[in-house]
Amino acid sequence: EVRGERVVGPLLAAAVTAFAAAQYAIGRPVAPEAWLAIAPLLASLALRPLRTALLAGWTVLLGLGLALEASGPPGRLASNLAVLALLAGFGVANSVLRCAAQRRLGQARAVARVAQSALLSEVPRSVAAARLASRYLSASAEAQVGGDLVEVIADGANPRWLVGDTRGKGLPAVRLANVAATSFRDACAQPGLSLTEVARAVDLSVTRAAGAEDFVTAVFAELDPAGWIELVICGHPPPLRLGTEGELMPLAPAAFTAPLGLHPDLHLSTFSVRSGDRLLFFTDGLLEARDRAGRFFRVDQQIQALSRPDLQVAVDELMDRLRAHTRRRLDDDVAVLLAELTLTDPGLQPAAPGQRAAAGAAVEAA
């Protein structure tokens, strides 16, 4: 900003001086002195108050010099000078108000960043048997926090995470997202709870805190380093798996359930995974983003971005493509979590598919 002021300020000063010099050289005004006020008015949109005031003072002095050299009715000259001084003063006042508004906006953004860091824990770069990368984009340019959530529990051999999307926007959505994230952390801290039981505990907390029409869509995941991932999906888009062969496929459950807060009938789905697979978890803002022609963002066409060797670079490029598609205009928040599996422990052998399915059915029935 300071660097821009160093360019804009001298340019405006040179322009208004050249205009006044041309007026003086001609010997007769081609425009009233009040037109000089264009310079401080433009300066008020880019310069700080002190620089704007200096330019405004210089402009008034130039106008006064032209008025003393000009011929014409004194009343008209005085009127033009009064308008020039009034507009120059308005430019300074506008610069003061603009800078004050920018300071308040900066403070609000800082508070939003602190609130988001307090509500949502930082996603670790790695957990057992996986590397992680995440990104959050807010639909609001004034804030960086919303109703989407990404929560990762890295304790233990089997990491768990929750990706969710709260209905609505604003502080009520933020509050409900905080309830879901906190409940998830508390439930995962209790020993012996299955993923389905964790989801049930979060649903109970959301139901208690939600209003009559509030809910949270969510996908709960638990990664078994032996080569399995368990999912409980509650009204949320299923994650996508990018296999080592380059094919992007959804991990769709056999039956979808209602979102949290709407009494979902929880089902556990189990999928086999391999080392090198990448799993993309996201909120529906990624699927519902449109360009100006109404075309949706095609996640299935982003394999090249998702295949970047660096995991965080892959996530960043995906978000850059999304913002380019929508011309940086998002209608909904977007949260993504990309996990690359590193199932390299030779001592962990996957159970037989039949045994794993039977175990999952037993947990779901419980």
Side-chain angles (χ1 to χ4, degrees), residues 195-326:
L195 188 65
T196 306
E197 291 169 335
V198 169
R200 187 172 292 116
V202 177
D203 173 58
L204 181 60
S205 298
V206 170
T207 301
R208 291 173 177 172
E213 298 181 356
D214 295 333
F215 58 82
V216 178
T217 67
V219 52
F220 299 83
E222 178 175 344
L223 177 62
D224 187 338
W228 306 93
I229 187 166
E230 295 179 339
L231 301 177
V232 176
I233 302 178
C234 303
H236 198 86
L240 302 176
R241 176 174 57 190
L242 178 61
T244 54
E245 68 282 355
E247 185 179 8
L248 191 64
M249 296 292 293
L251 298 181
F256 288 88
T257 61
L260 302 175
L262 299 180
H263 311 291
D265 182 16
L266 301 177
H267 296 281
L268 184 72
S269 301
T270 304
F271 300 89
S272 62
V273 289
R274 295 181 297 177
S275 184
D277 286 351
R278 289 189 174 185
L279 306 178
L280 178 65
F281 295 78
F282 52 91
T283 56
D284 59 6
L286 187 68
L287 298 179
E288 296 175 356
R290 305 189 188 197
D291 61 11
R292 293 186 177 181
R295 294 185 294 264
F296 288 103
F297 182 70
R298 296 288 301 276
V299 184
D300 58 333
Q301 296 179 356
Q302 312 307 319
I303 295 178
Q304 182 180 7
L306 294 173
S307 301
R308 297 298 183 193
D310 188 288
L311 212 60
Q312 190 60 53
V313 170
V315 171
D316 291 341
E317 182 172 336
L318 177 67
M319 294 294 97
D320 291 343
R321 292 189 179 192
L322 174 68
R323 298 181 70 179
H325 179 79
T326 61

Side-chain angles (χ1 to χ4, degrees), residues 134-230:
S134 67
R135 184 83 179 272
Y136 190 106
L137 287 182
S138 174
S140 173
E142 289 76 19
Q144 297 181 350
V145 63
D148 290 5
L149 65 145
V150 177
E151 195 70 27
V152 177
I153 305 298
D155 300 336
N158 290 16
R160 291 172 169 175
W161 53 82
L162 164 65
V163 177
D165 186 0
T166 305
R167 178 188 178 275
K169 298 180 180 179
L171 291 179
V174 174
R175 182 183 65 86
L176 197 56
N178 182 38
V179 169
T182 303
S183 176
F184 177 69
R185 289 193 293 264
D186 293 343
C188 290
Q190 300 181 33
L193 288 187
S194 67
L195 188 65
T196 306
E197 291 169 335
V198 169
R200 187 172 292 116
V202 177
D203 173 58
L204 181 60
S205 298
V206 170
T207 301
R208 291 173 177 172
E213 298 181 356
D214 295 333
F215 58 82
V216 178
T217 67
V219 52
F220 299 83
E222 178 175 344
L223 177 62
D224 187 338
W228 306 93
I229 187 166
E230 295 179 339

Side-chain angles (χ1 to χ4, degrees), residues 73-97:
R76 182 180 64 82
L77 295 177
S79 175
N80 287 339
L81 284 177
V83 172
L84 173 61
L86 182 63
L87 292 177
F90 176 80
V92 176
N94 185 59
S95 178
V96 171
L97 294 176

